[in-house]
Amino acid sequence: MTSSAAVSDPLLDLWDHMMSPNRTHLFCFYPSKITMSGIWAGDNPLDFSLPLLLFQMLLITFTTRAATFLISPLGLPRYISEILGGFVLGPSVLGRLPHFTDIVFPTRSIFVLDSMALLGLIYYTFTIGVEIELPTITRAGHRSFWFAGASALPPFLIGATVGYMALSTDDTRKQKDSVLNSLSFPIFLGASFSSTAFSVLARNIAELKLAGTDVGQLTLSASLINDTLAWSGLTVATALSDARSGGVLPSVWTLASGVFIFAAGFLVVRPALVRLAKRASEGEAVGEMRECAVLVGVMVAALVADAGGTHAIFGAFVFGLAVPNGPVGVELVEKVEDFVVGTLLPLFFAMSGLRTDTAKVTSMNAAVLLMIAAIAAAVLKVAAAVGVAAGFGMPLHDGTSIGLLLNTKGVIELVILNIARNKKIMSDQSFTVLVFMSALITALVSPLLAMVVKPARRLVFYKRRTVAWAQPDAELRVLSCVHVPRDAPAAITLIDIVSSSSRSPVAVHALHLIEFAGRSSALLLINASAPASSSSEISAHGRSHVEMQFKHIAHAFKAYEENHVVGGVSVRTMAAVSRYESMHEDVTAAAEDQHSALIVLPFHKHRTVDGGMEVSHPAIQELNVSVQSCSPCTVGILVDRGLGMPAGGSGGVYRVAALFFGGRDDREVVALATRMARNQAVDLTVLRFVQKGRAGSYTASEFDALKERKADDGCFREFLDRANAAGGGGVEYCERGVFNANEMVAEIRNVEEAGKDLFVVGKTPGGSGLTAGMADWSECPELGPIGDLLASRDFQTTASVLVVQSYGRAVAASAAGSMASSEFNVGEAVVVQPEAAMRQGQPPRRPRQQAELTIG
């Protein structure tokens, strides 16, 4: 009797549910229909949970990728395309087709799809927490805090004010809530208006070529601070939303749970992960077991946070904050980022789009009010940034750029809006309007920035763009590019060879070229600009691999500046984060900003242990070619075969050979040789090749070649005069007459056999028939025929090679037309004598014995 009473009648329960005044929608489905028996058995794949889920994921991925492809010419962030993909699949577009939603996105499947989306969001917010290093925020500098506060407070106040107004003007919100619960909607709205998506912003800054600028660094730092404030506001708003049912006590317990989770993350989890990061920095492998434990810890933190009422993503975010941004953090992010960002996160964007329904916009007054508020908040962000920039004496366009960048929206705002909608704090109308305004404001950032930033860059003008210059003691500005720390020693050695004395200073701007590959690249810029910290937590084991590379490069150049005996060298290290396809724009922009006369690029191959050459990265070759084609100054490509080894040169002397065939590029080689001639630590040989057997009348092109020859002669006259004036006893100048390329190669081999550390050659020999046809079998065209020969495996030399390309609009030597041809006989060597042993106006004394000339 008792057992029968315990069993209820399903039909009676259904009838009671239908007759109840508080009834809700009732959905029925088969719990056993998860996998199918096959279409051959007559099963429909869309009637089963797993096939339907896979189909939905494929459809969402295809739609978002197609949207990304279609809007890619506009240069809009991927965030826009993912929202657009979800909007197309939602009730506003395809959902209007008959039975589309019932077939593709039936209500029974939304629970599974939403759970998958939230799982991806949990791990994505974990990676966001990893990217936000709290010590980095404290080291960001007072300017970043001013920009963050000024750009967050006014939008928050607008959101809070409009939130109260929207409660009375939105027809769908007529319910009466408690005082604390009524605070949740204004806080949610204010947090969404003041938020900035760091991940989307970092990618935008890299693509806009602002990563190495003061604007980019300040914006990234301010964005980190804003993100932290937004997550805090989200936690408070979530806690206040619990006041609807149980009064004040649930909100207090929710806030207490949030404080407990935060304290546990930094008092328990972080010390353990810091010890793990320290072991990893010392070379110990992290191990699959420890990595799995950390990833499982993310789920534990999410479960505890959701049970405490603060939402699961808050626990994942705090757990990510506890992970030090070092090798361990980078490795964990790499483990989950590709799958989460590529597959699971688009589900979250698609769910946001599916919930965006233009038909739910019924109150135009409330909708217009929200749109005006969103625009006003964005405008106030820009105005506040301009005001702070003016207070620090920064240009107007810098403040405008920072304000526009801080209007970048992303996941954080969608998270806020979705939580508010799911908790019935925000209506469907408000959700639809705010998602649309978020996408619109983010889409307007890039074109507006192009209008502000690009014209400012276009107005960069300066005079000296070549090494050759009328004032020999004028400062030479060099932009030395490095990709990895192993490029630094050779670049420093080259600078040491070119640096002659304090009377002829060299200003070096070392540019670390970093491929944009994730959040660690963006964080590097913040940490690089921040002052050094003595905290052990953010020492070597707390930094990412990319950041450690930057620090090693910066320390190497700084140590050279401090230990340079002669003096006259100033060094500044910068970083450029970009994709290789557009990295040449960063290089040329940095050269223009620094008024550089010479850009030094590493070759795309590096020396191996066995003495061979191995490709470092295939994209570096295309980068070098692109820089050569659009460079604002002279470019040099350095093929390093051990130039920067500790031994330096032979007995502390660098043995350098400069090969001259004629033309503009080779005259830049002589200009570099002129600086080397005044360096007591350089044993310099300048070898000039002259083709024999030219006779007969001159054509128009040959008259141009004759003019070039006179310019070359004038260049050498100036070189010899300056070398003699500097007392360069270690300078040797030779001319070799050769008939063909075979004789030329033989002469170069003779020079190499004498032992050289560095060859300096021009990329394009001017009007020389000796190199005709060599370009046809050239392996590296960016090196030119001679440079490619010296860098090839067949030449078998251990000397490094510097290939020089002169600035395209470089003016020829001023008095070249009036200079006479060379006074030296072919086949004779000339040794430059010290200044004390010479009389002014007399040519250097010829040696008694003629130099050997090998033919064949």
Side-chain angles (χ1 to χ4, degrees), residues 459-507:
L459 299 175
V460 178
F461 296 104
Y462 64 100
K463 292 183 179 180
R464 183 172 186 179
R465 298 176 182 264
T466 58
V467 179
W469 196 242
Q471 293 81 25
D473 294 332
E475 181 185 60
L476 175 66
R477 298 193 174 188
V478 180
L479 181 68
S480 181
C481 301
V482 292
H483 295 278
V484 290
R486 67 166 171 261
D487 297 333
I492 292 174
T493 302
L494 179 63
I495 295 167
D496 192 44
I497 293 174
V498 174
S499 305
S500 54
S501 64
S502 58
R503 294 182 302 174
S504 182
V506 177

Side-chain angles (χ1 to χ4, degrees), residues 663 694-710 712 765-769:
R694 298 180 63 91
S697 61
Y698 289 100
T699 62
S701 60
E702 289 174 332
F703 273 113
D704 293 337
L706 181 61
K707 293 179 181 179
E708 286 289 314
R709 175 62 187 267
K710 290 183 178 180
D712 296 342
S768 175

Side-chain angles (χ1 to χ4, degrees), residues 55-92:
F55 175 75
Q56 290 169 339
M57 294 179 66
L58 290 173
L59 180 62
I60 291 171
T61 303
F62 173 78
T63 306
T64 54
R65 295 293 181 178
T68 303
F69 175 76
L70 291 176
I71 69 173
S72 58
L74 302 178
L76 298 178
R78 184 176 170 182
Y79 166 72
I80 305 296
S81 62
E82 289 175 333
I83 289 183
L84 180 61
F87 181 76
V88 170
L89 294 173
S92 300

